[in-house]
Amino acid sequence: MGNQVEIWKSYPYISGIEVSKMGRVRTIDRVVSSEKGKRSLKGRILKQYLKHNGYLQVGLSVGGKQVTKLVHRLVAQTFLPNPDNLPQTNHKNCIRTNNNVENLEWCTSSYDAKYREKHGVSQAEKIGHPLFAINLSTLKFSRFETQSEAGRTLGVNQANINAVIKGRQKTAYGFWFVNDDGHAVDVVKSKLHDIGKTGLKI
């Protein structure tokens, strides 16, 4: 995070959750009760997952049930006033993974669509090649705009991602990668089928 001070604030709609202005989400230290008595749980930064549409999400426990929430919505609801009750949250630089509060604004659905149409994708999205990643443990796949984005989100070295795509190595950190060249979805489905048949031995 550099020298910038990260400011955290309680999420107003779910207790025990804090959101930072830089787009991170965490639980706080708390005491929980069970049949075995009370125990302390230490707060932690929640891992974020990329949806197929390019937005980041986190899993939260609400009333004993797991729910998923979009990170940009959590940041906006925590830090940005919305007196007109606008329904959408726009990314000003069109990068859906940049959930810094300064990059977000409340807007109408029509504004959101027109903004994207006017400004298009960001320069960062134009550079690089979109790709898919398969988690070999869960068999779920995610789409990323660039290898660097995939590396940051999944915690995988970009050189290893490129090596998998180029065929120089089979997997990287429990993931398999392929470029999104218009036929990648079929390739991914085929790979998932092969993984299932070989018991993840790829």
Side-chain angles (χ1 to χ4, degrees):
M1 298 295 176
N3 297 322
Q4 188 176 357
V5 177
E6 188 170 14
I7 298 174
W8 293 86
K9 187 177 178 181
S10 295
Y11 179 61
Y13 302 110
I14 301 176
S15 62
I17 300 297
E18 290 186 339
V19 183
S20 89
K21 285 190 172 183
M22 295 180 181
R24 296 205 295 172
V25 185
R26 70 184 181 187
T27 58
I28 62 174
D29 294 348
R30 62 205 184 279
V31 176
V32 296
S33 299
S34 66
E35 295 178 354
K36 298 181 180 179
K38 294 183 178 181
R39 61 191 179 100
S40 298
L41 290 180
K42 188 171 181 60
R44 62 184 178 87
I45 302 292
L46 298 179
K47 186 174 182 179
Q48 301 187 13
Y49 301 90
L50 192 73
K51 288 172 63 69
H52 67 278
N53 57 9
Y55 292 109
L56 288 169
Q57 64 181 5
V58 293
L60 303 174
S61 178
V62 181
K65 296 181 179 180
Q66 280 293 119
V67 299
T68 56
K69 295 288 185 180
L70 294 169
V71 175
H72 67 285
R73 297 284 296 184
L74 296 178
V75 175
Q77 289 171 337
T78 302
F79 292 101
L80 298 179
N82 188 14
D84 297 324
N85 198 28
L86 298 174
Q88 300 291 335
T89 309
N90 179 50
H91 289 79
K92 297 177 183 178
N93 66 359
C94 296
I95 300 178
R96 295 180 176 182
T97 54
N98 180 355
N99 293 316
N100 191 302
V101 68
E102 296 176 354
N103 188 44
L104 303 176
E105 61 181 345
W106 289 108
C107 65
T108 63
S109 300
S110 60
Y111 174 91
D112 191 38
K114 290 177 181 178
Y115 191 96
R116 186 83 176 171
E117 182 178 343
K118 178 180 179 181
H119 296 282
V121 297
S122 68
Q123 190 61 30
E125 288 176 300
K126 294 177 182 177
I127 300 173
H129 201 299
L131 66 153
F132 285 98
I134 296 178
N135 183 320
L136 300 180
S137 296
T138 64
L139 301 187
K140 292 182 179 180
F141 68 92
S142 304
R143 185 181 185 279
F144 300 92
E145 292 298 331
T146 63
Q147 290 182 22
S148 60
E149 181 187 8
R152 287 194 307 271
T153 304
L154 302 175
V156 180
N157 186 293
Q158 187 175 340
N160 293 111
I161 295 175
N162 189 59
V164 174
I165 290 175
K166 298 295 185 182
R168 293 194 296 270
Q169 67 184 65
K170 292 184 177 181
T171 65
Y173 298 83
F175 291 90
W176 180 77
F177 302 90
V178 62
N179 279 333
D180 181 5
D181 59 1
H183 304 285
V185 172
D186 291 334
V187 174
V188 169
K189 289 180 179 178
S190 175
K191 192 67 175 182
L192 288 171
H193 179 71
D194 292 341
I195 292 172
K197 292 178 66 175
T198 58
L200 302 185
K201 295 178 181 179
I202 64 172

